Amino acid sequence: MIKEQKSKPLENSKKGGQWTFLSNHAHVLICLSKDPEMRLKDVALLVGITERAVQAIVKDLVDAQILEKSKDGRRNQYLIQTEQKLRHPLEASHSISELLRLGK
């Protein structure tokens, strides 16, 4: 049984923090789904992390075969494998495409 708690306003302190329900990996995927040619510098600005962190996330997603990266002239183009399942056991019955619908 899930216990219902009274709603408290979020505090912007170490205790409350500024957390979100989606991970930075999900945020990066959502950005690239909206614009497959978006520069990683722009993704970093939208997500609120460093460009180096975005590069590491893109590498993780490529290594997991969720994201394919190709060159289009001087720009990279990203293709998301939307049929892939989410990785955590609690979410494994859901696909990347379901996650991306949250960002629309």
Side-chain angles (χ1 to χ4, degrees), residues 30-46:
I30 289 169
C31 287
L32 293 176
S33 74
K34 290 181 178 182
D35 181 359
E37 294 182 1
M38 186 179 288
R39 297 179 310 166
L40 297 186
K41 178 180 182 177
D42 297 327
V43 172
L45 288 171
L46 288 172

Side-chain angles (χ1 to χ4, degrees), residues 6-12:
K6 292 183 181 179
S7 178
K8 294 181 183 178
L10 286 178
E11 297 174 4
N12 198 6

Side-chain angles (χ1 to χ4, degrees), residues 24-82:
N24 287 339
H25 283 67
H27 291 137
V28 169
L29 270 180
I30 289 169
C31 287
L32 293 176
S33 74
K34 290 181 178 182
D35 181 359
E37 294 182 1
M38 186 179 288
R39 297 179 310 166
L40 297 186
K41 178 180 182 177
D42 297 327
V43 172
L45 288 171
L46 288 172
V47 176
I49 58 178
T50 65
E51 186 174 352
R52 187 167 290 216
V54 173
Q55 291 168 348
I57 289 170
V58 166
K59 182 183 181 324
D60 288 346
L61 296 171
V62 168
D63 291 347
Q65 298 179 344
I66 293 170
L67 194 62
E68 289 181 22
K69 183 169 85 167
S70 62
K71 278 282 196 197
D72 185 18
R74 295 183 63 210
R75 308 248 348 217
N76 287 326
Q77 188 165 21
Y78 301 93
L79 175 66
I80 300 170
Q81 301 300 318
T82 57

